Amino acid sequence: MKILVLGADGYLGWPTCMYFSQRGHEVLGVDNYFRRYASIELDCEPLMPAPNLLQRAQVWQELTGKRIEMAIGDITDYNFLLEIFKHFHPEAVIHYAEQPSAPYSMIDRDKAAFTVQNNLLGTLNIAYAVKETDPACHIVKLGTMGEYGTPNIDIEEGWLDIEHKGRQDTFLFPRQASSLYHTSKIQDTDLLWFYVRTWGIRVTDLMQGPVYGLSTEESDLDERLMPLFNYDEVFGTVLNRFIVQAVSGYPLTVYGRGGQTRGYLNIKDTMQCVYLSATQPSRPGELRIFNQVTETFSVTELAEKVKAVGDRLGHKVEINSVPNPRAEKEEHYYNPKYSGLLDLGLKPHFLTEDVLADMFRVVEKYQDRINRNAIFRGISWK
Ligand code: USQ
């Protein structure tokens, strides 16, 4: 298949390019380097040095003989994006090209405005480019479990059957996010749902939980192919942060009471989920939604797991409760359904002690590069 990966430079985008390329698909990656520039601006650069996209594609070609085409540009520029579609004729577009950080979206008005503009305009442009060039092209959008929030009922996969005054209908599951970033993801889901109903385009929305992990089968070939791995407060996800904190002797930053429960998955499973979705597309006129998680943990459970493995490996891991900078429930019911991707063929990699120990070993190699000032600054939701 011809696969267009938007947001190809990010933590998940580059591994996705390699994953499809390795399996014989033709890949074009696009990125505007937002994440790199923002990491420099906020002094929170990734743990491992990451060659730029053109360099990584070159390394990939030297090692595998497979070519990944790259284009550097901004998908909120419609003419740029349209030219990409006209040149490449993708059969599926994987949409990661969003500002992905909740704390970033809460820094100030300008960063909130950037998040809204980038995430909504980018998504709108993709819908238009698909309609104008090939309405059969399947959009696989990375959504987030955070769109649902933490409701006091089970979280279904995207849709909820409602009975009201004796009548029934099916609606998108109620959404109530707890950051401006997550709210922008609700809005881009709504944009795509509108165009699915109006133009009959085909969309899969992957409601993903926080991802952890440092490597995939493909990135293990050469350290220059590793994902852009952030461990800082802005761009790092919680488990990745805890491993880096443990290695650098920084007490693990459990926010508040630590009962916040989320659905997690290994980066290797993100690759599988996106691949399974792209190769088994939704129907024209269908918005298909999967909850992309493999198991649930509270923040305290994660911290305890990291401490157990870290202590065994000779780190003296402390767990610290810091006042929660976010506005979120710290104790709540959480029961998401996530059978759709398993039905498509997902084989989960669960969070075992061996998986944690492997993460420790990789981070230990780069411990001299850890910037302790980036770990916690307390970007407040208030
Ligand atoms: N947390 C801590 N300590 C930390 C960092 C986070 O206790 O040092 C807590 C947060 O308060 C939150 C939970 O851990 O309750 C998860 O936080 P996170 O920073 O790992 O994840 P989040 O901000 O929700 O965002 C990440 C990705 C985002 C994706 C989302 C999926 O950055 O792109 O959409 O995970 S989900 O969380 O299901 O919404």
Side-chain angles (χ1 to χ4, degrees), residues 126-138:
I126 294 166
Y128 262 89
V130 162
K131 177 186 176 249
E132 283 197 28
T133 57
D134 178 9
C137 172
H138 176 211

Side-chain angles (χ1 to χ4, degrees), residues 99-103 143-147 179 181-182 185 207-211 233-239 241-242 245 252-256 258 260-264 293 299 302 322 324-326 328-329 334 375-376 381:
Q99 190 296 96
S101 158
T144 167
M145 288 297 290
E147 292 181 42
S179 82
Y181 151 72
H182 289 97
K185 303 288 290 187
M207 311 292 263
Q208 184 169 242
V211 182
E233 177 182 347
V234 179
F235 291 114
T237 48
V238 61
L239 181 58
R241 284 168 55 62
F242 283 177
Q245 292 170 6
L252 307 190
T253 55
V254 170
Y255 292 169
Q260 303 91 312
T261 303
R262 301 287 183 269
Y264 290 85
V293 308
V299 172
L302 288 180
V322 298
N324 196 340
R326 305 184 180 198
E328 62 183 357
K329 287 188 194 143
Y334 200 66
I375 289 178
F376 184 74
W381 264 223

Side-chain angles (χ1 to χ4, degrees), residues 37-190:
Y37 293 133
S39 296
I40 293 171
E41 179 196 346
L42 301 172
D43 186 25
C44 59
E45 288 180 72
L47 185 62
M48 299 90 175
N52 69 38
L53 270 183
L54 301 175
Q55 294 163 347
R56 283 193 278 183
Q58 184 68 37
V59 173
W60 177 248
Q61 189 165 352
E62 283 162 15
L63 292 175
T64 65
K66 297 178 196 299
R67 181 163 175 269
I68 299 177
E69 202 182 339
M70 289 294 172
I72 305 306
D74 189 334
I75 69 158
T76 65
D77 173 350
Y78 185 59
N79 288 331
F80 166 75
L81 186 67
L82 191 60
E83 284 311 309
I84 296 278
F85 271 78
K86 286 181 176 165
H87 155 76
F88 187 63
H89 302 292
E91 294 161 79
V93 44
I94 318 290
H95 178 24
Y96 293 110
E98 304 213 20
Q99 190 296 96
S101 158
Y104 184 93
S105 74
M106 303 299 292
I107 290 177
D108 59 23
R109 200 234 50 123
D110 286 358
K111 295 203 168 21
F114 172 81
T115 301
V116 170
Q117 180 178 333
N118 183 75
N119 294 2
L120 298 192
L121 201 51
T123 303
L124 179 84
N125 284 349
I126 294 166
Y128 262 89
V130 162
K131 177 186 176 249
E132 283 197 28
T133 57
D134 178 9
C137 172
H138 176 211
I139 301 172
V140 179
K141 195 258 293 187
L142 269 289
T144 167
M145 288 297 290
E147 292 181 42
Y148 303 120
T150 49
N152 199 31
I153 58 172
D154 290 357
I155 298 174
E156 305 300 330
E157 292 203 73
W159 302 96
L160 187 64
D161 298 326
I162 305 259
E163 192 178 320
H164 182 62
K165 295 184 178 169
R167 301 183 68 81
Q168 291 179 337
D169 208 340
T170 302
F171 296 91
L172 285 172
F173 193 92
R175 288 140 323 138
Q176 41 191 3
S178 60
S179 82
L180 190 268
Y181 151 72
H182 289 97
T183 301
S184 75
K185 303 288 290 187
I186 294 174
Q187 294 169 326
D188 67 12
T189 298
D190 278 329

